[in-house]
Amino acid sequence: MSDAAAIEVRGLRREFRVRQGMFAPPKHVIAVDDVSFAVPAGSVLGVVGESGCGKSTLARLILGLLEPTAGDVLVDGQRLSGMDRRARARLIQPVFQDPFASLNPKRRIRDIVSMPLIAQGSFGRAEIERRVDEALDRVGLSRDQGTRFPAQLSGGQRQRVAIARALVLRPRIVVCDEPTSALDVSVQAQILNLLAELRRDLGLTYLFISHNLAVVEHIASEVAVMYLGRIVERTESEALFATPRHPYTRALLASVLTPEPGLGVPDVGLGDIMPDPANIPPGCRFHPRCPVALPRCSTEAPPLVDDAVGLVECHLVDVEAAPAHA
């Protein structure tokens, strides 16, 4: 693994105007708020958080499917916003959540996998055929399966097709947006092992977005925790799962269901208040749900603590890090 950043996100922000009715003024929803990070080449950054925290919006901004309100995305030091779509596609490719929805049901598998090559307009027929064969072989699909339609394949096989399509241009970055959540548990393990194998063999860098913490723990080198559009904690995967520092991260880990019978659904202490990106609270945006909030959490935004462990935005960590007075 290289220390050089394969992908760097700088101050990324995205606002949406949401209409509330004919006479009410529109609301401004901040889906992604000043997000910055760098992912070393060959590593995996897992992004976790509740539904609505901004994970998928972040993925779409990085892929160029949405324009940012502010900020930049760089791959190998090149700003993606200044590239045309074909150049961007050669560097970064997606694998989406539902393979059946992301594959054209009227096209055969070989045609689906070849589409990125055809769209580039610079590959001959023989090169396209060779690359499609190579991509299908890498993901464990036969030439016979390449002649079928998506409906004739299983869910796991369809996701392998989506991965083959993402790899056929030999990109540097793959953005995986909930790539296993639509699959059976046994098939999830197969796809995760395939992704890990491809990363090792091809030197890929992944941005892996998921709400499944067990999946992220299995595949990610580093984990970023999002809440209401911001990354509130980011550190190496092993450290985060062993000693989470932000109260929201601790609540997420506590919410994972246990296989032990009779224990029921865990109470993580977050109450019934759900986060609303159209009404972000002052101070720490997590304070209305935080079981250990300090008085100043409701008025003062927490500082970003960047230390040897990682990054975290929390007044409690700031207090712990402060030197004791004589």
Side-chain angles (χ1 to χ4, degrees):
M1 185 187 304
S2 170
D3 290 333
I7 182 168
E8 186 176 359
V9 172
R10 297 178 179 173
L12 209 58
R13 181 183 177 91
R14 174 67 194 204
E15 296 182 15
F16 294 97
R17 284 166 55 91
V18 179
R19 293 189 176 275
Q20 304 180 85
M22 185 176 296
F23 302 107
K27 282 188 175 182
H28 288 269
V29 175
I30 303 174
V32 173
D33 187 9
D34 194 23
V35 167
S36 299
F37 58 80
V39 186
S43 65
V44 182
L45 176 65
V47 181
V48 301
E50 295 169 293
S51 296
C53 72
K55 304 187 303 293
S56 291
T57 301
L58 175 63
R60 282 156 175 75
L61 289 168
I62 291 171
L63 289 165
L65 302 177
L66 288 173
E67 288 295 322
T69 305
D72 285 318
V73 179
L74 297 88
V75 173
D76 293 334
Q78 305 175 69
R79 294 177 64 248
L80 296 187
S81 59
M83 297 182 185
D84 63 43
R85 290 185 178 181
R86 284 179 291 188
R88 190 169 190 151
R90 290 193 295 270
L91 290 173
I92 188 165
Q93 282 287 317
V95 176
F96 291 114
Q97 175 178 355
D98 185 354
F100 198 69
S102 65
L103 303 178
N104 187 336
K106 297 182 179 180
R107 302 296 297 271
R108 296 184 188 275
I109 299 308
R110 291 189 64 86
D111 296 331
I112 291 171
V113 176
S114 69
M115 281 304 297
L117 296 167
I118 295 171
Q120 289 290 317
S122 57
F123 295 95
R125 182 183 296 274
E127 177 68 5
I128 290 174
E129 292 296 317
R130 188 182 68 80
R131 286 209 185 192
V132 170
D133 286 340
E134 180 186 83
L136 291 176
D137 183 63
R138 280 197 178 277
V139 301
L141 294 174
S142 67
R143 293 193 180 190
D144 175 66
Q145 288 168 321
T147 65
R148 301 178 189 178
F149 293 96
Q152 296 174 301
L153 301 181
S154 67
Q157 290 170 336
R158 287 195 291 264
Q159 195 61 296
R160 289 173 186 268
V161 174
I163 294 169
R165 181 178 59 184
L167 296 182
V168 76
L169 281 176
R170 300 172 183 170
R172 294 269 287 124
I173 316 293
V174 178
V175 177
C176 303
D177 189 1
E178 302 276 9
T180 61
S181 62
L183 306 175
D184 293 338
V185 173
S186 60
V187 180
Q188 285 185 19
Q190 296 173 19
I191 296 300
L192 288 173
N193 289 335
L194 173 63
L195 289 170
E197 179 184 326
L198 292 169
R199 179 178 69 88
R200 290 192 301 267
D201 292 348
L202 303 177
L204 297 169
T205 303
Y206 291 153
L207 182 70
F208 195 96
I209 292 170
S210 180
H211 68 279
N212 189 323
L213 294 168
V215 166
V216 171
E217 184 179 16
H218 175 76
I219 198 169
S221 318
E222 190 178 26
V223 181
V225 181
M226 287 192 74
Y227 187 81
L228 277 181
R230 284 190 64 79
I231 291 178
V232 296
E233 183 169 1
R234 178 165 59 88
T235 190
E236 292 184 0
S237 179
E238 184 177 350
L240 183 130
F241 283 94
T243 54
R245 298 198 289 171
H246 197 284
Y248 178 60
T249 308
R250 292 198 289 267
L252 283 181
L253 295 179
S255 69
V256 176
L257 294 175
T258 173
E260 296 182 38
L263 292 183
V265 177
D267 180 8
V268 298
L270 294 182
D272 299 325
I273 302 173
M274 294 304 296
D276 181 2
N279 292 290
I280 294 177
C284 173
R285 56 193 63 201
F286 182 59
H287 85 263
R289 305 174 70 196
C290 182
V292 291
L294 302 171
R296 63 173 171 157
C297 294
S298 61
T299 56
E300 299 177 30
L304 179 65
V305 176
D306 184 358
D307 56 24
V309 179
L311 296 110
V312 61
E313 281 190 351
C314 180
H315 285 303
L316 288 170
V317 176
D318 184 38
V319 168
E320 293 167 1
H325 294 288

